[in-house]
Amino acid sequence: MNRRAFLQKPAAGVLAAASPTEAAARYEAASGGDDEKISRFANQELPRTARSTATLAPYTGPWGYSQAAHLLRRSLFGPTRQEILTAAGQSLTQVLNGLLAAPVAPAPPVNVSATDTSVPIGQTWVTQPFDQNVEGVRRSSLRAWWLGQLQQQSVSLAEKMTLFWHNHFVVELGDINDARYGYEYCRLLRQYALGNIRQLAKEVTVTPAMLRYLNGNQSTGGAPNENYGRELLELFTIGKGPLIGAGNYTTYTEDDVKAAARVLTGWRDNATTLQGYFTASRHDTGTKQFSAAFGSRVISNGADQEYKTLVDMIFAQADTARFLCRKLYRWFVYYVIDATTEQNIIEPLAQLLISNNYEVAPVLRALLGSEHFFDAVNMGCLIKSPLDFTLTVGRQLQVAFPTSSSLPTQYSVWDYINGITNLQQQVLGDPPNVAGWPAYWQTPQYYELWINAVTLPRRNQLTDALISSGGITRSGFTLRIDAVALVQALPASTASDANLLIGELSRLLFPIPLTANQLSYLNDVLLPGLPDFEWTVEWQDYVANPTNTAKKAAVQTKLQALLRTMMGLAEYHLS
């Protein structure tokens, strides 16, 4: 098969490469004049190319750098070269054990703004009284802190899964307008990132952020609000089966939405305790009749425990497990789920989820350790999200970030990275709506939604700015790719050989091999019109005289040109 076919769509035009002096300025000048969401070159229908017929059988094929890189690219936000090498030196089982081990919960976000005079700089605000006057800076602190957890991730699936649950059990921080609620929501997602989905569904149902976001705090016996009941069924658990009537599906009916809304009445959010609480007088105490989709189940008054009965009823349906496994598959593998994938992957994963009482870790272990996951067709077929793209640039190319020795600077830079992903149409903490980011559900475009006439130039402008000698400066700190230091970290024999160097950088930056013509082109970028030995001479001259500015400039200019070109290739946007 031609694994590169999806890279061969007609191009709207070629973006001119920015000079080092122009790069940072051009990124700063990017504005939202054209807010295109869907490229005219995106899918008009789902791809018809053959998909993998491999099963969930444990992978027993070759294990080395390329397989370890594939696993870590999908599990982390930009695995570093050292992380890949370490994983390649272990067994697949050992790597999966590490990925599925939950890290220690991070300390909460802190105040870094002089505006919030109620909390000293460096102290947390998460338990302080709500104050609309400082809500903006606290929310910025929360977003920055969250971005920092992604940027400083350990070799664990915890952060990738926390973001998955954020995209699944969606709230929008801007809508709930209480950063303290937002933090409790983030803490809950991280707590259950690798844990029990059913328990997470129960707890998120009555967490203050969700009660406020989907109006559960306004739902009373006399006026049940259907928002959360509808999304619980349609988006959070069982999903829509085939349509069987107006508003009715094989998996649930419109009457089920109404019955669920009645079950969920009586809950409110407490701005002092930061918890959801139940008020019996606001609850519908009548019996709730559900449709044949749920075995015509009747739920009687269970007061503050009744919502748990509802969640248990929904999770007793096999379609709930199937729906969740499809979402996990699209997050980690690919968006096309054909009949073979449904039979070979989704159904057995769903049964595994059910048999493990809805613990997600066994499902992740089976999927990420399977023949199917390591099939060549499933490598390099995802387009990186803005968060994945931006964080990968920084982590893989060893961009230095501020440390906690200066919290205001650290948070300021993290906040700036959030601004960058915002320009690329992904805002951490604020998916566009309750369905999450469309790239994970909008057919037939799916991941292609991340690339359009607005976002692609902004990606290129970011990488051009970071590889420029000036980099990007925020709060007195400069973010910059140090190309010379990056190459110095490679084995000496690799760093001094032009073709070995290009090959080593390529296997770090690209999830699929480059063609011979591409490698030859990159060689010409590094050594325009020069023989290969010229790089060896120049690099060794620099290594022997590292304080000689002329010799350093000679190799630095060449490496900057090489990396700028590599980050401009279509393959660089893939995972």
Side-chain angles (χ1 to χ4, degrees):
M1 62 169 294
N2 182 3
R3 292 175 56 212
R4 311 183 69 81
F6 58 93
L7 293 172
Q8 298 169 358
K9 293 186 178 182
V14 179
L15 288 169
S19 69
T21 55
E22 295 173 331
R26 192 169 76 174
Y27 187 79
E28 296 302 320
S31 61
D34 179 3
D35 199 28
E36 179 185 77
K37 297 293 184 185
I38 302 179
S39 168
R40 57 197 174 103
F41 300 116
N43 288 336
Q44 299 301 307
E45 59 183 25
L46 287 175
R48 298 180 181 178
T49 52
R51 297 299 303 154
S52 174
T53 59
T55 68
L56 278 179
Y59 176 71
T60 57
W63 177 257
Y65 186 99
S66 63
Q67 291 79 23
H70 172 57
L71 175 58
L72 294 189
R73 284 189 183 103
R74 298 293 175 84
S75 303
L76 309 177
F77 293 96
T80 65
R81 178 174 177 272
Q82 188 55 56
E83 287 169 343
I84 296 171
L85 289 172
T86 299
Q90 299 174 327
S91 69
L92 172 57
T93 298
Q94 288 173 318
V95 178
L96 288 172
N97 287 345
L99 287 171
L100 290 166
V104 175
V110 300
N111 177 40
V112 291
S113 172
T115 303
D116 191 350
T117 57
S118 63
V119 184
I121 299 294
Q123 298 297 311
T124 189
W125 44 262
V126 300
T127 57
Q128 295 296 310
F130 176 78
D131 184 346
Q132 188 65 60
N133 293 320
V134 295
E135 170 61 18
V137 296
R138 289 180 179 178
R139 199 181 309 157
S140 293
S141 166
L142 174 60
R143 292 184 200 279
W145 169 84
W146 195 348
L147 190 283
Q149 305 313 307
L150 275 57
Q151 188 262 323
Q152 297 179 322
Q153 68 194 311
S154 61
V155 184
S156 168
L157 276 158
E159 291 304 328
K160 207 65 173 279
M161 283 301 295
T162 297
L163 190 67
F164 172 82
W165 292 124
H166 174 43
N167 184 63
H168 181 76
F169 292 112
V170 174
V171 305
E172 297 174 61
L173 298 181
D175 282 11
I176 63 175
N177 192 44
D178 192 326
R180 305 169 311 153
Y181 283 13
Y183 169 70
E184 284 300 313
Y185 162 80
C186 294
R187 186 199 57 75
L188 181 64
L189 299 186
R190 187 167 283 103
Q191 177 185 346
Y192 286 98
L194 300 172
N196 192 281
I197 306 175
R198 180 172 55 206
Q199 187 60 32
L200 173 58
K202 289 178 181 177
E203 296 200 27
V204 84
T205 295
V206 294
T207 198
M210 187 63 77
L211 287 170
R212 182 173 291 186
Y213 179 58
L214 288 178
N215 311 113
N217 60 356
Q218 301 172 17
S219 190
T220 66
N225 188 296
E226 296 178 7
N227 285 355
Y228 185 77
R230 185 175 304 281
E231 308 309 355
L232 178 65
L233 293 168
E234 179 180 339
L235 299 176
F236 298 165
T237 56
I238 200 165
K240 289 181 177 178
L243 186 68
I244 58 174
N248 296 335
Y249 305 89
T250 55
T251 49
Y252 69 89
T253 68
E254 190 67 20
D255 285 342
D256 292 328
V257 172
K258 292 179 169 59
R262 293 175 59 206
V263 167
L264 296 164
T265 54
W267 284 92
R268 308 179 78 178
D269 57 290
N270 188 312
T272 300
T273 64
L274 306 181
Q275 299 293 316
Y277 69 99
F278 181 77
T279 303
S281 62
R282 293 167 60 93
H283 181 61
D284 184 330
T285 58
T287 57
K288 292 86 179 177
Q289 175 71 57
F290 288 84
S291 73
F294 296 99
S296 301
R297 175 76 179 272
V298 173
I299 294 181
S300 301
N301 180 38
D304 62 346
Q305 300 300 302
E306 194 170 332
Y307 76 98
K308 296 178 183 178
T309 304
L310 171 65
V311 172
D312 285 339
M313 180 190 76
I314 297 170
F315 275 76
Q317 309 304 308
D319 277 322
T320 297
R322 296 184 185 107
F323 179 76
L324 292 167
C325 288
R326 290 186 197 108
K327 293 199 72 170
L328 287 166
Y329 185 88
R330 290 191 169 108
W331 189 258
F332 285 106
V333 185
Y334 193 54
Y335 58 80
V336 174
I337 300 177
D338 58 17
T340 301
T341 302
E342 183 73 25
Q343 176 181 332
N344 289 350
I345 308 300
I346 303 303
E347 188 59 32
L349 281 180
Q351 294 307 315
L352 183 64
L353 186 59
I354 293 168
S355 65
N356 281 277
N357 200 30
Y358 281 94
E359 292 288 337
V360 74
V363 171
L364 294 174
R365 183 182 293 275
L367 178 61
L368 300 179
S370 68
E371 289 181 347
H372 185 88
F373 181 77
F374 287 101
D375 193 312
V377 74
N378 288 323
M379 293 186 176
C381 59
L382 271 66
I383 294 174
K384 295 172 188 169
S385 71
L387 279 166
D388 202 358
F389 178 85
T390 303
L391 290 163
T392 294
V393 174
R395 285 176 48 78
Q396 290 193 333
L397 296 177
Q398 299 180 12
V399 174
F401 276 73
T403 67
S404 58
S405 62
S406 176
L407 288 169
T409 302
Q410 185 180 56
Y411 272 61
S412 175
V413 171
W414 286 339
D415 186 61
Y416 176 68
I417 299 300
N418 274 327
I420 287 174
T421 64
N422 187 4
L423 288 173
Q424 297 170 22
Q425 298 177 351
Q426 186 178 30
V427 187
L428 184 59
D430 275 278
N433 54 54
V434 71
W437 287 293
Y440 301 107
W441 58 265
Q442 181 63 68
T443 188
Q445 293 84 19
Y446 285 101
Y447 315 141
E448 295 192 2
L449 291 170
W450 294 130
I451 301 292
N452 56 53
V454 174
T455 61
L456 182 59
R458 287 170 176 167
R459 290 183 177 212
N460 292 338
Q461 288 155 8
L462 169 65
T463 54
D464 284 351
L466 288 173
I467 194 59
S468 68
S469 297
I472 301 172
T473 300
R474 275 293 171 276
S475 299
F477 189 91
T478 299
L479 297 169
R480 183 172 66 88
I481 298 168
D482 187 337
V484 174
L486 180 72
V487 174
Q488 280 182 307
L490 301 176
S493 58
T494 301
S496 61
D497 184 297
N499 293 310
L500 291 179
L501 170 62
I502 292 169
E504 186 65 22
L505 291 174
S506 294
R507 73 174 187 160
L508 172 66
L509 300 181
F510 307 125
I512 56 179
L514 298 184
T515 65
N517 285 342
Q518 285 176 308
L519 293 171
S520 176
Y521 171 68
L522 291 175
N523 183 289
D524 288 339
V525 171
L526 180 67
L527 295 166
L530 299 173
D532 290 353
F533 71 80
E534 182 66 27
W535 172 254
T536 304
V537 171
E538 289 192 28
W539 180 255
Q540 291 180 345
D541 278 351
Y542 162 69
V543 171
N545 301 277
T547 59
N548 186 304
T549 55
K551 294 183 184 298
K552 181 176 183 179
V555 296
Q556 178 173 279
T557 300
K558 289 181 172 62
L559 289 173
Q560 286 175 327
L562 173 64
L563 287 171
R564 183 180 301 110
T565 302
M566 295 179 84
M567 292 186 292
L569 295 180
E571 290 84 352
Y572 189 62
H573 298 271
L574 302 178
S575 172

